[in-house]
């Protein structure tokens, strides 16, 4: 079942075409990975879905209604957002940052309620961060910061979360923790996710974990391929899009489970 539908969407900056006639469905309890080179329009597409940018043509449907008809506060009850990075200007406590996700549910001059606080603490519990709730936000590591951003999105209690390169700048362990957390949220809370990424193995990780995974290869202003990771993330597509030679491999884990991944070999000369 589709929870969000993008139909023939195009966006221009003046005479500069960013993407053209893009269409896809986001399915319930699934993940849709946007994959492609720098500057191909992944972040711009996410901003169009969030309502921050207005497409030049096409439509975005949420529950069969155009996103353009939703007021920002109403849209925030349907779609959460985890940015690629976040500037930490003030030493708010972690709990204060997370509870900001309840802004759409509180009045302009109202303080968060006891229920809002309980929801925020529950989100921190879900992500294993409750021990940090009173820590100054400015003292967190990059991985902890991204998890807090995800906790803030969870407090919105939305069925959809958009993520713009959520593992950017993270070390190997924290990258894996973020991916494991995404899998957990989809399986346990039936959340649907759109995630922009530069790493093809993110899509394979979700597929290997039993998640309903679709990936779109975004390049030259369009989706050049769309489907499951094995269909889209091929050695031929990596050569055509990134000019690199790669090898798609399959391996068995100690539990005799087959997992797939893409290994870069060398840049094409």
């Amino acid at each position: 079942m589709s929870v969000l539908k993008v139909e023939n969407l195009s966006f221009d900056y003046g005479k500069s075409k960013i993407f053209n006639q893009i269409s896809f469905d986001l399915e319930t309890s699934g993940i849709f990975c946007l994959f492609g080179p720098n500057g191909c329009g992944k972040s711009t597409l996410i901003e169009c879905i969030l309502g921050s940018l207005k497409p030049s043509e096409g439509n975005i449907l949420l529950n069969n209604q155009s996103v353009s008809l939703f007021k920002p506060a109403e849209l925030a009850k349907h779609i959460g957002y985890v940015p690629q990075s976040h500037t930490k200007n003030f030493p708010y406590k972690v709990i204060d940052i997370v509870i900001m996700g309840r802004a759409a549910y509180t009045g302009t001059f109202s303080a968060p309620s006891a229920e809002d606080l309980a929801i925020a603490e529950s989100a921190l519990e879900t992500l294993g961060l409750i021990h940090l709730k009173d820590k100054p936000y400015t003292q967190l590591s990059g991985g902890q910061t991204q998890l807090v951003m995800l906790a803030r999105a969870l407090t919105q209690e939305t069925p959809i979360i958009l993520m713009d390169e959520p593992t950017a700048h993270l070390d190997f362990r924290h990258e894996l923790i973020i991916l494991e957390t995404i899998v957990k949220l989809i399986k346990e809370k039936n959340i649907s996710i759109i995630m922009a990424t530069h790493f093809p193995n993110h899509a394979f990780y979700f597929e290997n974990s039993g998640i309903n995974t679709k990936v779109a290869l975004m390049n030259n202003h369009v989706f050049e391929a769309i489907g499951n990771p094995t269909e889209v993330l091929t050695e031929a597509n990596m050569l055509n899009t990134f000019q690199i030679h790669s090898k798609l491999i399959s391996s068995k884990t100690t539990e005799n489970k087959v997992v797939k991944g893409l290994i870069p070999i060398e840049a094409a000369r």
Side-chain angles (χ1 to χ4, degrees):
M1 178 180 175
S2 174
V3 292
L4 185 139
K5 185 184 292 287
V6 173
E7 297 179 331
N8 303 315
L9 207 69
S10 300
F11 184 87
D12 309 301
Y13 280 120
K15 295 182 179 180
S16 178
K17 176 72 70 177
I18 304 302
F19 53 78
N20 187 47
Q21 297 292 299
I22 280 178
S23 299
F24 70 93
D25 289 355
L26 175 63
E27 297 178 8
T28 303
S29 302
I31 187 163
F32 189 89
C33 294
L34 296 170
F35 174 66
N38 289 331
C40 68
K42 299 185 297 296
S43 296
T44 302
L45 176 55
I46 284 176
E47 290 189 54
C48 286
I49 296 172
L50 288 169
S52 303
L53 294 175
K54 184 178 180 180
S56 52
E57 58 182 305
N59 206 359
I60 303 163
L61 300 176
L62 178 63
N63 298 328
N64 294 317
Q65 286 187 295
S66 175
V67 165
S68 63
L69 300 177
F70 288 78
K71 294 181 178 179
E74 188 63 28
L75 189 60
K77 295 179 181 179
H78 294 273
I79 302 176
Y81 176 53
V82 178
Q84 180 181 149
S85 60
H86 182 72
T87 303
K88 297 181 282 190
N89 292 321
F90 301 101
Y92 294 113
K93 291 181 180 180
V94 166
I95 188 64
D96 295 330
I97 294 293
V98 174
I99 209 168
M100 289 177 185
R102 299 299 297 167
Y105 299 89
T106 59
T108 305
F109 301 105
S110 301
S113 66
E115 180 184 5
D116 294 325
L117 178 60
I119 291 170
E121 289 182 340
S122 176
L124 288 172
E125 287 275 12
T126 296
L127 300 183
L129 298 173
I130 194 64
H131 63 290
L132 297 176
K133 75 170 191 173
D134 293 320
K135 186 171 183 175
Y137 182 54
T138 49
Q139 295 179 15
L140 299 182
S141 70
Q144 290 171 333
T145 298
Q146 284 302 89
L147 286 170
V148 168
M149 287 292 96
L150 185 49
R152 187 176 71 175
L154 284 181
T155 66
Q156 291 178 233
E157 297 188 310
T158 61
I160 300 169
I161 296 179
L162 306 188
M163 300 183 177
D164 191 0
E165 297 182 40
T167 65
H169 316 301
L170 299 187
D171 64 33
F172 202 30
R173 173 178 171 79
H174 283 98
E175 176 184 18
L176 182 58
I177 288 173
I178 292 289
L179 298 181
E180 288 176 337
T181 301
I182 291 171
V183 169
K184 178 181 178 181
L185 293 176
I186 294 173
K187 287 185 174 180
E188 295 182 2
K189 295 185 177 293
N190 298 319
I191 289 173
S192 303
I193 292 175
I194 297 175
M195 175 177 160
T197 179
H198 281 302
F199 303 102
N201 285 330
H202 286 171
F204 280 120
Y205 179 85
F206 298 129
E207 183 180 59
N208 293 337
S209 300
I211 297 299
N212 179 12
T213 306
K214 294 290 179 65
V215 58
L217 178 57
M218 196 171 185
N219 193 34
N220 295 323
H221 316 300
V222 298
F223 284 168
E224 293 190 332
I226 186 169
N228 65 49
T230 304
E231 294 170 333
V232 175
L233 303 174
T234 64
E235 296 168 14
N237 281 340
M238 296 305 101
L239 181 59
N240 291 335
T241 303
F242 295 97
Q243 292 77 54
I244 64 168
H245 297 290
S246 59
K247 185 68 176 178
L248 181 62
I249 63 168
S250 296
S251 182
K252 287 187 178 181
T253 66
T254 53
E255 294 82 17
N256 215 33
K257 175 184 175 183
V258 177
V259 295
K260 298 176 183 178
L262 196 65
I263 298 177
I265 305 299
E266 62 179 359
R269 299 294 190 264

